[in-house]
Amino acid sequence: MPPPRRPPNKWTVFVVVAVGVFMSTLDGSIVNIALPTIMHDLSVPLSTVEWVMMIYLLTVSSLLLSFGRLSDIRGRRWVYTRGLGAFSAGSLCCALADNAWWLIGSRAFQGVGAAMVMSCTQAIVADAFPESERGKALGTLGAVVASGLMVGPALGGWILHIASWPFIFWINIPIGVATALYANRLLKSGGCDGVRRESFDGWGALLLALCTGALLAAVTHGYDWGYASFPFLSLMALSLLAALGLIFQEGRVRFPLISPSLLRIRLFALPVLAAMILFAGLFTIIFLMPFFLIHPCGFSSRETGLIMVTPFVFLFLFAPVSGALSDRLGSRWLCTTGMVILTAAFVLLSRLEPDFSKLQIAWRMAVSGIGVAMFIAPNNAEVMSAVPSNFMGVAAGTVATVRNLGMVTGIALAGTLFNSVFYSLNGGLPLTVYRPELEPVFMAAFRFAMMSGVAIGGAGILVTFLRGPDRRKRSKC
């Protein structure tokens, strides 16, 4: 008999997973800077080209949890490697697109691959590392996500400077294919290769995709369409009906997408809810700050971009440190402190003045990044440690799904809060062209939105603290 196969080195597994995470995150941000060029080259209006970004987000968010469940059944190696293959094939279709609708459809295909990749990456890392090191590993994975968000706009600008926009997609293909082939060999016959004799709830996956996709589309466009408009109300009704159908479907199948037993695990349910609140708060800041920096402050797009990178720089620097600390201290106090720091950042940002220097603004943005970095890795490590190993894929997919839901909710909430005050103080006139005389009205609306973020942070502090003692900490007592 041949000798048993040695398990792969945990950090080699991490690097293979990190490549997939980096590519998926990068493609969510790199395309944004190319949209004006794509709009010009394909001769389409902004209302059409924005779907190049939107369809990717909707597809990924709608499928994450379902692919997480599939990875628990079919094996994480199977889902991850085929996800990289689908992502690479979608990138090829994007690069060859000669019209907007072909590009949008290709981005949806690419989003399916990205959802497969992102749905099980945390579970693969959690499988590879012992529980005592998961915080450090997941914190470092958080730094990879931050680097993808930081590098995307800069790399996209550089590619557009030396080549055309299809090269943004061409570069994915060799990296994605090579990583898929190596990961398929590296992860074979390991803990990521387990197969379970359970059926996959296809109808539940379809209903979940309809529910999530319709909700995200409605929330994202609610302000533009109007919250009493037919498209908004129709999408919300579709989301509600799909949710009711999903509840009925999950109650009648033997193997549901989300086992009810998971929702009864306090250290799964409350950290997941807290993560959604955190990302809603963070993206309230991310959405509104560029308007403040460009309009009242008068900074250039380049200066604004550099300032907006600040939270992600500190997320990149502090996430591994926070993760390593959580391996020793647990998640409850680190995550609660992170929420407190994010809430303090809202207070600091609400006191900004248009004549503040870039440094005065940047260090306040850094505070928000530190708060998020202190929260994410301990929270994710606790979620992955709280669930049974056979549900790690669902847990990882759930964490990724609520992250995207929080982002979209934060953007929608920020727009609603800002515009409600701006309209009421400005006689119902929209912010289409900024004029210096609008500064007092703009700042009143901006400060209201930022102070409302304090309420978001307060809710996050409460939910985070209520999780109680960590499972790992209690097991040592």
Side-chain angles (χ1 to χ4, degrees), residues 239-249:
S239 179
L240 178 60
L241 289 174
L244 293 174
L246 179 63
I247 293 171
F248 174 76
Q249 172 69 11

Side-chain angles (χ1 to χ4, degrees), residues 60-66 212 396-406:
V60 171
S61 302
S62 301
L63 298 176
L64 277 168
L65 201 154
S66 296
T212 307
T398 303
V399 169
T401 300
V402 298
R403 179 180 65 228
N404 284 6
L405 288 173

